[in-house]
Amino acid sequence: GEQAAEEFLRNMIGDHRYERLPLKTREEIVKDGDALIAELTAIRLDQPPFDPGLVTVPVLVVCGADSNDRHQRATAWLSEHLPAGSLHLVQGAGHGGHQSHPAEVSRLILGAVAAGAKPTAERPPALV
């Protein structure tokens, strides 16, 4: 698991960037190797490893408009199958849109949080 996590990360960010990570960060990342293997295996299954219909909280599904077709199809499917899912495309962004377009992604997240904090008939104001 640990070797798989290191190889995955090296492929994602490149050897040069990986070597620049602090040793403690690299050690923490490789500890998640078994979870990474489980996640990468799960995405190859015909059925998701969970029932999206059971997720009843609002979910913001964000995808870079320039992401590959596989990621765009997956995020569209997810937003359609979550009872309270909403899909937002970040124009000009690829798969790493949170890194290339942090201001836009932050606005989406803060907007979703603000909308979720507004009381509705189904969700009265919280008592503090």
Side-chain angles (χ1 to χ4, degrees), residues 33-109:
D34 292 336
L36 176 64
I37 290 170
E39 288 176 6
L40 293 175
T41 301
I43 63 174
R44 288 174 171 76
L45 302 176
D46 288 337
Q47 296 296 318
F50 67 98
D51 181 354
L54 298 176
V55 180
T56 58
V57 297
V59 176
L60 178 66
V61 182
V62 180
C63 183
D66 295 343
S67 293
N68 68 39
D69 188 54
R70 180 183 78 235
H71 289 129
Q72 290 191 34
R73 285 193 324 268
T75 53
W77 183 93
L78 186 60
S79 67
E80 291 168 9
H81 287 83
L82 291 165
S86 62
L87 177 62
H88 297 272
L89 294 178
V90 178
Q91 296 304 315
H95 183 61
H98 61 291
Q99 294 174 318
S100 64
H101 294 71
E104 185 166 349
V105 173
S106 294
R107 279 192 297 277
L108 287 170
I109 293 169

